[in-house]
PDB file of all heavy atoms in Angstrom:
ATOM      1  N   ARG A 266     111.091  86.534  77.721  1.00 66.00           N
ATOM      2  CA  ARG A 266     110.422  85.680  76.760  1.00 66.00           C
ATOM      3  C   ARG A 266     109.425  84.792  77.433  1.00 66.00           C
ATOM      4  O   ARG A 266     108.394  84.306  76.868  1.00 66.00           O
ATOM      5  CB  ARG A 266     111.397  84.784  76.009  1.00 66.00           C
ATOM      6  CG  ARG A 266     112.333  85.674  75.120  1.00 66.00           C
ATOM      7  CD  ARG A 266     113.291  84.691  74.402  1.00 66.00           C
ATOM      8  NE  ARG A 266     114.202  85.491  73.488  1.00 66.00           N
ATOM      9  CZ  ARG A 266     115.203  84.915  72.851  1.00 66.00           C
ATOM     10  NH1 ARG A 266     115.341  83.607  72.958  1.00 66.00           N
ATOM     11  NH2 ARG A 266     115.965  85.669  72.002  1.00 66.00           N
ATOM     12  N   SER A 267     109.608  84.521  78.803  1.00 67.00           N
ATOM     13  CA  SER A 267     108.652  83.726  79.516  1.00 67.00           C
ATOM     14  C   SER A 267     107.219  84.390  79.537  1.00 67.00           C
ATOM     15  O   SER A 267     106.277  83.637  79.722  1.00 67.00           O
ATOM     16  CB  SER A 267     109.139  83.546  80.964  1.00 67.00           C
ATOM     17  OG  SER A 267     110.393  82.835  80.993  1.00 67.00           O
ATOM     18  N   ASN A 268     107.127  85.704  79.336  1.00 72.00           N
ATOM     19  CA  ASN A 268     105.788  86.257  79.280  1.00 72.00           C
ATOM     20  C   ASN A 268     104.994  85.860  78.042  1.00 72.00           C
ATOM     21  O   ASN A 268     103.719  86.015  78.076  1.00 72.00           O
ATOM     22  CB  ASN A 268     105.975  87.798  79.294  1.00 72.00           C
ATOM     23  CG  ASN A 268     106.574  88.316  80.584  1.00 72.00           C
ATOM     24  OD1 ASN A 268     106.047  88.095  81.684  1.00 72.00           O
ATOM     25  ND2 ASN A 268     107.694  88.983  80.528  1.00 72.00           N
ATOM     26  N   GLN A 269     105.646  85.317  77.038  1.00 75.00           N
ATOM     27  CA  GLN A 269     104.949  84.744  75.939  1.00 75.00           C
ATOM     28  C   GLN A 269     105.126  83.316  75.704  1.00 75.00           C
ATOM     29  O   GLN A 269     104.577  82.731  74.796  1.00 75.00           O
ATOM     30  CB  GLN A 269     105.424  85.511  74.601  1.00 75.00           C
ATOM     31  CG  GLN A 269     104.989  86.924  74.458  1.00 75.00           C
ATOM     32  CD  GLN A 269     105.698  87.901  75.267  1.00 75.00           C
ATOM     33  OE1 GLN A 269     106.988  87.865  75.370  1.00 75.00           O
ATOM     34  NE2 GLN A 269     105.032  88.907  75.863  1.00 75.00           N
ATOM     35  N   ASN A 270     105.962  82.710  76.576  1.00 81.00           N
ATOM     36  CA  ASN A 270     106.268  81.229  76.492  1.00 81.00           C
ATOM     37  C   ASN A 270     105.080  80.484  76.995  1.00 81.00           C
ATOM     38  O   ASN A 270     104.767  80.498  78.177  1.00 81.00           O
ATOM     39  CB  ASN A 270     107.508  80.909  77.272  1.00 81.00           C
ATOM     40  CG  ASN A 270     107.943  79.476  77.069  1.00 81.00           C
ATOM     41  OD1 ASN A 270     107.139  78.606  77.264  1.00 81.00           O
ATOM     42  ND2 ASN A 270     109.255  79.318  76.783  1.00 81.00           N
ATOM     43  N   LYS A 271     104.367  79.736  76.123  1.00 85.00           N
ATOM     44  CA  LYS A 271     103.182  79.045  76.482  1.00 85.00           C
ATOM     45  C   LYS A 271     103.464  77.876  77.527  1.00 85.00           C
ATOM     46  O   LYS A 271     102.693  77.621  78.449  1.00 85.00           O
ATOM     47  CB  LYS A 271     102.466  78.385  75.276  1.00 85.00           C
ATOM     48  CG  LYS A 271     101.792  79.400  74.307  1.00 85.00           C
ATOM     49  CD  LYS A 271     101.153  78.805  73.173  1.00 85.00           C
ATOM     50  CE  LYS A 271     100.317  79.834  72.296  1.00 85.00           C
ATOM     51  NZ  LYS A 271     101.090  80.954  71.838  1.00 85.00           N
ATOM     52  N   PHE A 272     104.648  77.181  77.397  1.00 88.00           N
ATOM     53  CA  PHE A 272     105.019  76.158  78.332  1.00 88.00           C
ATOM     54  C   PHE A 272     105.126  76.755  79.715  1.00 88.00           C
ATOM     55  O   PHE A 272     104.651  76.242  80.730  1.00 88.00           O
ATOM     56  CB  PHE A 272     106.294  75.462  77.867  1.00 88.00           C
ATOM     57  CG  PHE A 272     106.776  74.496  78.897  1.00 88.00           C
ATOM     58  CD1 PHE A 272     106.191  73.238  79.049  1.00 88.00           C
ATOM     59  CD2 PHE A 272     107.837  74.831  79.728  1.00 88.00           C
ATOM     60  CE1 PHE A 272     106.664  72.352  79.978  1.00 88.00           C
ATOM     61  CE2 PHE A 272     108.268  73.960  80.647  1.00 88.00           C
ATOM     62  CZ  PHE A 272     107.752  72.690  80.813  1.00 88.00           C
ATOM     63  N   TYR A 273     105.851  77.917  79.766  1.00 89.00           N
ATOM     64  CA  TYR A 273     106.122  78.580  81.098  1.00 89.00           C
ATOM     65  C   TYR A 273     104.840  79.029  81.713  1.00 89.00           C
ATOM     66  O   TYR A 273     104.517  78.801  82.828  1.00 89.00           O
ATOM     67  CB  TYR A 273     107.051  79.736  80.895  1.00 89.00           C
ATOM     68  CG  TYR A 273     107.197  80.630  82.165  1.00 89.00           C
ATOM     69  CD1 TYR A 273     108.029  80.194  83.152  1.00 89.00           C
ATOM     70  CD2 TYR A 273     106.457  81.741  82.373  1.00 89.00           C
ATOM     71  CE1 TYR A 273     108.154  80.956  84.357  1.00 89.00           C
ATOM     72  CE2 TYR A 273     106.613  82.566  83.502  1.00 89.00           C
ATOM     73  CZ  TYR A 273     107.447  82.166  84.456  1.00 89.00           C
ATOM     74  OH  TYR A 273     107.534  82.860  85.583  1.00 89.00           O
ATOM     75  N   LYS A 274     103.857  79.652  80.823  1.00 88.00           N
ATOM     76  CA  LYS A 274     102.591  80.058  81.376  1.00 88.00           C
ATOM     77  C   LYS A 274     101.780  78.977  81.836  1.00 88.00           C
ATOM     78  O   LYS A 274     101.077  79.024  82.928  1.00 88.00           O
ATOM     79  CB  LYS A 274     101.912  80.888  80.336  1.00 88.00           C
ATOM     80  CG  LYS A 274     102.582  82.163  80.060  1.00 88.00           C
ATOM     81  CD  LYS A 274     102.160  82.866  78.722  1.00 88.00           C
ATOM     82  CE  LYS A 274     100.775  83.395  78.834  1.00 88.00           C
ATOM     83  NZ  LYS A 274     100.346  84.186  77.620  1.00 88.00           N
ATOM     84  N   LEU A 275     101.747  77.784  81.155  1.00 91.00           N
ATOM     85  CA  LEU A 275     100.976  76.615  81.590  1.00 91.00           C
ATOM     86  C   LEU A 275     101.581  76.104  82.894  1.00 91.00           C
ATOM     87  O   LEU A 275     100.778  75.708  83.860  1.00 91.00           O
ATOM     88  CB  LEU A 275     101.106  75.534  80.505  1.00 91.00           C
ATOM     89  CG  LEU A 275     100.496  74.159  80.864  1.00 91.00           C
ATOM     90  CD1 LEU A 275      98.980  74.351  81.072  1.00 91.00           C
ATOM     91  CD2 LEU A 275     100.684  73.169  79.778  1.00 91.00           C
ATOM     92  N   PHE A 276     102.890  75.976  82.988  1.00 92.00           N
ATOM     93  CA  PHE A 276     103.486  75.466  84.196  1.00 92.00           C
ATOM     94  C   PHE A 276     103.216  76.435  85.387  1.00 92.00           C
ATOM     95  O   PHE A 276     102.923  75.988  86.470  1.00 92.00           O
ATOM     96  CB  PHE A 276     105.033  75.389  84.015  1.00 92.00           C
ATOM     97  CG  PHE A 276     105.773  74.966  85.306  1.00 92.00           C
ATOM     98  CD1 PHE A 276     105.912  73.605  85.590  1.00 92.00           C
ATOM     99  CD2 PHE A 276     106.335  75.949  86.101  1.00 92.00           C
ATOM    100  CE1 PHE A 276     106.564  73.275  86.843  1.00 92.00           C
ATOM    101  CE2 PHE A 276     106.926  75.606  87.348  1.00 92.00           C
ATOM    102  CZ  PHE A 276     107.105  74.317  87.661  1.00 92.00           C
ATOM    103  N   HIS A 277     103.279  77.724  85.101  1.00 91.00           N
ATOM    104  CA  HIS A 277     103.046  78.763  86.124  1.00 91.00           C
ATOM    105  C   HIS A 277     101.592  78.545  86.673  1.00 91.00           C
ATOM    106  O   HIS A 277     101.379  78.667  87.872  1.00 91.00           O
ATOM    107  CB  HIS A 277     103.178  80.123  85.524  1.00 91.00           C
ATOM    108  CG  HIS A 277     103.559  81.200  86.465  1.00 91.00           C
ATOM    109  ND1 HIS A 277     104.749  81.317  87.020  1.00 91.00           N
ATOM    110  CD2 HIS A 277     102.804  82.189  87.035  1.00 91.00           C
ATOM    111  CE1 HIS A 277     104.795  82.336  87.788  1.00 91.00           C
ATOM    112  NE2 HIS A 277     103.619  82.897  87.844  1.00 91.00           N
ATOM    113  N   ARG A 278     100.635  78.316  85.765  1.00 94.00           N
ATOM    114  CA  ARG A 278      99.234  78.186  86.202  1.00 94.00           C
ATOM    115  C   ARG A 278      99.011  76.922  86.987  1.00 94.00           C
ATOM    116  O   ARG A 278      98.398  76.874  87.963  1.00 94.00           O
ATOM    117  CB  ARG A 278      98.283  78.327  84.983  1.00 94.00           C
ATOM    118  CG  ARG A 278      96.823  78.153  85.335  1.00 94.00           C
ATOM    119  CD  ARG A 278      96.414  79.252  86.341  1.00 94.00           C
ATOM    120  NE  ARG A 278      95.010  79.126  86.777  1.00 94.00           N
ATOM    121  CZ  ARG A 278      94.625  79.588  87.976  1.00 94.00           C
ATOM    122  NH1 ARG A 278      95.387  80.131  88.752  1.00 94.00           N
ATOM    123  NH2 ARG A 278      93.316  79.352  88.307  1.00 94.00           N
ATOM    124  N   LEU A 279      99.616  75.818  86.530  1.00 95.00           N
ATOM    125  CA  LEU A 279      99.504  74.515  87.239  1.00 95.00           C
ATOM    126  C   LEU A 279     100.143  74.662  88.648  1.00 95.00           C
ATOM    127  O   LEU A 279      99.608  74.150  89.663  1.00 95.00           O
ATOM    128  CB  LEU A 279     100.237  73.455  86.476  1.00 95.00           C
ATOM    129  CG  LEU A 279      99.556  72.940  85.157  1.00 95.00           C
ATOM    130  CD1 LEU A 279     100.400  71.923  84.474  1.00 95.00           C
ATOM    131  CD2 LEU A 279      98.151  72.302  85.547  1.00 95.00           C
ATOM    132  N   PHE A 280     101.251  75.351  88.689  1.00 94.00           N
ATOM    133  CA  PHE A 280     101.906  75.560  90.011  1.00 94.00           C
ATOM    134  C   PHE A 280     100.979  76.397  90.901  1.00 94.00           C
ATOM    135  O   PHE A 280     100.891  76.143  92.092  1.00 94.00           O
ATOM    136  CB  PHE A 280     103.262  76.266  89.797  1.00 94.00           C
ATOM    137  CG  PHE A 280     104.008  76.650  91.049  1.00 94.00           C
ATOM    138  CD1 PHE A 280     104.630  75.737  91.779  1.00 94.00           C
ATOM    139  CD2 PHE A 280     104.025  78.028  91.478  1.00 94.00           C
ATOM    140  CE1 PHE A 280     105.335  76.055  92.939  1.00 94.00           C
ATOM    141  CE2 PHE A 280     104.638  78.369  92.611  1.00 94.00           C
ATOM    142  CZ  PHE A 280     105.290  77.429  93.402  1.00 94.00           C
ATOM    143  N   ASP A 281     100.371  77.417  90.266  1.00 95.00           N
ATOM    144  CA  ASP A 281      99.409  78.241  91.083  1.00 95.00           C
ATOM    145  C   ASP A 281      98.355  77.438  91.627  1.00 95.00           C
ATOM    146  O   ASP A 281      97.966  77.516  92.895  1.00 95.00           O
ATOM    147  CB  ASP A 281      98.873  79.358  90.284  1.00 95.00           C
ATOM    148  CG  ASP A 281      99.815  80.465  90.006  1.00 95.00           C
ATOM    149  OD1 ASP A 281     100.798  80.552  90.719  1.00 95.00           O
ATOM    150  OD2 ASP A 281      99.591  81.311  89.108  1.00 95.00           O
ATOM    151  N   ILE A 282      97.707  76.553  90.849  1.00 96.00           N
ATOM    152  CA  ILE A 282      96.593  75.737  91.347  1.00 96.00           C
ATOM    153  C   ILE A 282      97.035  74.788  92.392  1.00 96.00           C
ATOM    154  O   ILE A 282      96.286  74.596  93.428  1.00 96.00           O
ATOM    155  CB  ILE A 282      96.009  74.914  90.074  1.00 96.00           C
ATOM    156  CG1 ILE A 282      95.310  75.906  89.102  1.00 96.00           C
ATOM    157  CG2 ILE A 282      94.980  73.896  90.595  1.00 96.00           C
ATOM    158  CD1 ILE A 282      94.836  75.341  87.853  1.00 96.00           C
ATOM    159  N   ILE A 283      98.131  74.107  92.216  1.00 96.00           N
ATOM    160  CA  ILE A 283      98.652  73.125  93.224  1.00 96.00           C
ATOM    161  C   ILE A 283      98.884  73.798  94.550  1.00 96.00           C
ATOM    162  O   ILE A 283      98.536  73.318  95.565  1.00 96.00           O
ATOM    163  CB  ILE A 283      99.914  72.442  92.693  1.00 96.00           C
ATOM    164  CG1 ILE A 283      99.515  71.554  91.519  1.00 96.00           C
ATOM    165  CG2 ILE A 283     100.536  71.627  93.819  1.00 96.00           C
ATOM    166  CD1 ILE A 283     100.749  70.934  90.812  1.00 96.00           C
ATOM    167  N   MET A 284      99.589  74.919  94.395  1.00 95.00           N
ATOM    168  CA  MET A 284      99.957  75.657  95.625  1.00 95.00           C
ATOM    169  C   MET A 284      98.718  76.287  96.388  1.00 95.00           C
ATOM    170  O   MET A 284      98.601  76.267  97.524  1.00 95.00           O
ATOM    171  CB  MET A 284     100.997  76.817  95.334  1.00 95.00           C
ATOM    172  CG  MET A 284     102.340  76.368  94.932  1.00 95.00           C
ATOM    173  SD  MET A 284     103.152  75.350  96.178  1.00 95.00           S
ATOM    174  CE  MET A 284     103.253  76.490  97.529  1.00 95.00           C
ATOM    175  N   ALA A 285      97.792  76.652  95.537  1.00 96.00           N
ATOM    176  CA  ALA A 285      96.430  77.181  96.070  1.00 96.00           C
ATOM    177  C   ALA A 285      95.763  76.140  96.879  1.00 96.00           C
ATOM    178  O   ALA A 285      95.310  76.356  97.948  1.00 96.00           O
ATOM    179  CB  ALA A 285      95.608  77.811  94.960  1.00 96.00           C
ATOM    180  N   LEU A 286      95.701  74.897  96.327  1.00 96.00           N
ATOM    181  CA  LEU A 286      95.006  73.770  96.945  1.00 96.00           C
ATOM    182  C   LEU A 286      95.686  73.430  98.304  1.00 96.00           C
ATOM    183  O   LEU A 286      95.121  73.210  99.332  1.00 96.00           O
ATOM    184  CB  LEU A 286      94.899  72.558  96.069  1.00 96.00           C
ATOM    185  CG  LEU A 286      94.002  72.746  94.882  1.00 96.00           C
ATOM    186  CD1 LEU A 286      94.119  71.553  93.883  1.00 96.00           C
ATOM    187  CD2 LEU A 286      92.594  73.005  95.253  1.00 96.00           C
ATOM    188  N   ILE A 287      97.023  73.349  98.204  1.00 95.00           N
ATOM    189  CA  ILE A 287      97.787  73.105  99.403  1.00 95.00           C
ATOM    190  C   ILE A 287      97.649  74.218 100.495  1.00 95.00           C
ATOM    191  O   ILE A 287      97.481  73.980 101.682  1.00 95.00           O
ATOM    192  CB  ILE A 287      99.317  72.942  99.095  1.00 95.00           C
ATOM    193  CG1 ILE A 287      99.557  71.715  98.186  1.00 95.00           C
ATOM    194  CG2 ILE A 287     100.204  72.841 100.365  1.00 95.00           C
ATOM    195  CD1 ILE A 287     100.928  71.640  97.714  1.00 95.00           C
ATOM    196  N   GLY A 288      97.695  75.451 100.006  1.00 94.00           N
ATOM    197  CA  GLY A 288      97.488  76.612 100.916  1.00 94.00           C
ATOM    198  C   GLY A 288      96.103  76.639 101.536  1.00 94.00           C
ATOM    199  O   GLY A 288      96.054  76.922 102.789  1.00 94.00           O
ATOM    200  N   ILE A 289      95.102  76.377 100.843  1.00 96.00           N
ATOM    201  CA  ILE A 289      93.743  76.240 101.350  1.00 96.00           C
ATOM    202  C   ILE A 289      93.635  75.180 102.376  1.00 96.00           C
ATOM    203  O   ILE A 289      92.970  75.353 103.471  1.00 96.00           O
ATOM    204  CB  ILE A 289      92.665  76.160 100.207  1.00 96.00           C
ATOM    205  CG1 ILE A 289      92.668  77.491  99.394  1.00 96.00           C
ATOM    206  CG2 ILE A 289      91.388  75.870 100.767  1.00 96.00           C
ATOM    207  CD1 ILE A 289      91.917  77.362  98.044  1.00 96.00           C
ATOM    208  N   ALA A 290      94.150  74.062 102.078  1.00 96.00           N
ATOM    209  CA  ALA A 290      94.122  72.899 103.009  1.00 96.00           C
ATOM    210  C   ALA A 290      94.838  73.252 104.351  1.00 96.00           C
ATOM    211  O   ALA A 290      94.326  73.016 105.440  1.00 96.00           O
ATOM    212  CB  ALA A 290      94.817  71.654 102.369  1.00 96.00           C
ATOM    213  N   PHE A 291      96.048  73.897 104.205  1.00 95.00           N
ATOM    214  CA  PHE A 291      96.699  74.307 105.462  1.00 95.00           C
ATOM    215  C   PHE A 291      95.864  75.335 106.234  1.00 95.00           C
ATOM    216  O   PHE A 291      95.860  75.300 107.483  1.00 95.00           O
ATOM    217  CB  PHE A 291      98.095  74.949 104.986  1.00 95.00           C
ATOM    218  CG  PHE A 291      98.789  75.523 106.144  1.00 95.00           C
ATOM    219  CD1 PHE A 291      99.407  74.651 107.120  1.00 95.00           C
ATOM    220  CD2 PHE A 291      98.927  76.882 106.297  1.00 95.00           C
ATOM    221  CE1 PHE A 291     100.147  75.241 108.179  1.00 95.00           C
ATOM    222  CE2 PHE A 291      99.646  77.477 107.325  1.00 95.00           C
ATOM    223  CZ  PHE A 291     100.276  76.582 108.300  1.00 95.00           C
ATOM    224  N   PHE A 292      95.285  76.249 105.489  1.00 94.00           N
ATOM    225  CA  PHE A 292      94.415  77.225 106.155  1.00 94.00           C
ATOM    226  C   PHE A 292      93.275  76.679 106.935  1.00 94.00           C
ATOM    227  O   PHE A 292      92.874  77.065 108.021  1.00 94.00           O
ATOM    228  CB  PHE A 292      93.924  78.223 105.129  1.00 94.00           C
ATOM    229  CG  PHE A 292      93.020  79.321 105.683  1.00 94.00           C
ATOM    230  CD1 PHE A 292      93.561  80.308 106.580  1.00 94.00           C
ATOM    231  CD2 PHE A 292      91.692  79.320 105.412  1.00 94.00           C
ATOM    232  CE1 PHE A 292      92.724  81.294 107.115  1.00 94.00           C
ATOM    233  CE2 PHE A 292      90.839  80.360 105.976  1.00 94.00           C
ATOM    234  CZ  PHE A 292      91.359  81.272 106.836  1.00 94.00           C
TER     235      PHE A 292
END
Side-chain angles (χ1 to χ4, degrees):
R266 293 179 181 177
S267 296
N268 293 302
Q269 285 79 40
N270 186 309
K271 289 182 172 58
F272 173 77
Y273 173 79
K274 291 165 74 173
L275 175 63
F276 176 85
H277 205 75
R278 182 56 186 153
L279 288 174
F280 176 75
D281 284 346
I282 293 172
I283 293 170
M284 291 302 296
L286 293 174
I287 294 172
I289 291 169
F291 175 72
F292 178 66

